Amino acid sequence: ALARIQAAHPIIDTPFILGTDRNLLHPLQPGPTLAALAGEDPAPEEYLQARRLALDGAHGAEALQALEAVASAPELAGPWRLRARMAAAAVHKGAGRSAEAAAIYAAIEEDFPVELRQIVRPSRAQIALCRIQALDGAGRRPEARALALRILREIEAAGPASLESGDGGLLV
């Protein structure tokens, strides 16, 4: 089954299977984390705690407060502050506050230009997609369409390499 999945979806490098008890069945040893593959330091504990709160869902206000604290903590590495900001936007979006989420996604490009050239995830394209979805969810469809068209024109002008992270990243 794994060979068929990999043959049908060449983008998949190492699929995994979780058992009903949520334990990892395949591969038996988990591979390196995305952060390790990207040469990044492990996530700081403050970020991990804030993400746990955000994923819990029952702690919306507390999660937002924790994520904002991480996002504004100058002692933490920029990529983790950026990811905390992304998580805060997702909490807003999940709570039906798409306009707030769209504003956060828009500010990320301005607030983290260096980090966006250095990190693998989230990519500028991922942030742009989240922003488009939030604008659409906020009922700002003309703005969402205009942003999508602008991005498509930039991709067309720059070529497929513009979707990569780093200096050649999508200019959003």
Side-chain angles (χ1 to χ4, degrees), residues 51-121:
R51 286 292 291 158
R52 279 188 213 101
L53 286 172
L55 292 173
D56 184 4
H59 302 286
E62 187 180 349
L64 276 174
Q65 189 175 22
L67 289 165
E68 286 301 326
V70 170
S72 61
E75 69 275 8
L76 296 179
W80 299 110
R81 293 191 334 259
L82 182 155
R83 291 177 184 126
R85 185 86 57 87
M86 286 286 294
V91 170
H92 279 294
K93 189 170 177 257
R97 296 185 300 272
S98 293
E100 289 90 338
I104 291 171
Y105 292 129
I108 287 172
E109 183 78 16
E110 294 173 23
D111 296 344
F112 297 98
V114 172
E115 291 82 355
L116 285 170
R117 287 192 301 274
Q118 296 173 340
I119 64 174
V120 174
R121 62 177 177 82

Side-chain angles (χ1 to χ4, degrees), residues 120-160:
V120 174
R121 62 177 177 82
S123 69
R124 290 178 174 178
Q126 289 170 314
I127 296 168
L129 178 59
C130 289
R131 184 175 169 200
I132 290 166
Q133 291 172 335
L135 287 168
D136 187 58
R140 294 163 52 188
R141 288 193 176 95
E143 193 176 340
R145 280 190 217 119
L147 178 59
L149 287 173
R150 188 183 104 216
I151 291 166
L152 290 172
R153 286 186 189 111
E154 288 177 6
I155 292 170
E156 180 182 38

Side-chain angles (χ1 to χ4, degrees), residues 23-49:
N23 285 323
L24 189 65
L25 299 177
H26 176 82
L28 295 178
Q29 295 296 320
T33 65
L34 287 175
L37 290 173
E40 295 178 2
D41 293 329
E45 188 57 36
E46 302 95 317
Y47 172 80
L48 294 173
Q49 289 174 352

